[in-house]
Amino acid sequence: MKNPEELKEIRSKLNASELEDIQWLHTEMATFLESDEVSSEGVTRLENMINTLNNFRRTYTQRVIRLHKLGHMLD
């Protein structure tokens, strides 16, 4: 079982994969905004961004729920 300090550390930090996803989304959105063309490539980029964001949201939410379940150990 993890001690309260370890739980607080887990709760407060995004992991490397999550940070890479956020950075990729940031870069893709910037690239998308620079382009003023409406095309099938733009739709593909949007779909990729939406899928990545949905995956990030799902794992983030699951992590929050797990931490809430462990929350009684932090009090």
Side-chain angles (χ1 to χ4, degrees), residues 12-26:
S12 65
K13 301 286 184 181
L14 294 174
N15 63 37
S17 175
E18 292 166 332
L19 291 171
E20 286 176 15
D21 285 347
I22 295 297
Q23 185 61 44
W24 181 84
L25 284 167
H26 179 267

Side-chain angles (χ1 to χ4, degrees), residues 28-64:
E28 281 297 301
M29 185 59 73
T31 302
F32 184 79
L33 290 172
E34 288 174 4
S35 173
D36 61 351
E37 293 180 18
V38 175
S39 66
S40 59
E41 181 184 334
V43 172
T44 302
R45 282 178 177 256
L46 283 173
E47 287 297 322
N48 289 339
M49 287 186 279
I50 289 167
N51 289 335
T52 300
L53 184 57
N54 281 334
N55 290 337
F56 175 81
R57 181 185 49 85
R58 186 174 35 257
T59 58
Y60 191 88
T61 301
Q62 290 170 347
R63 196 165 152 199
V64 167

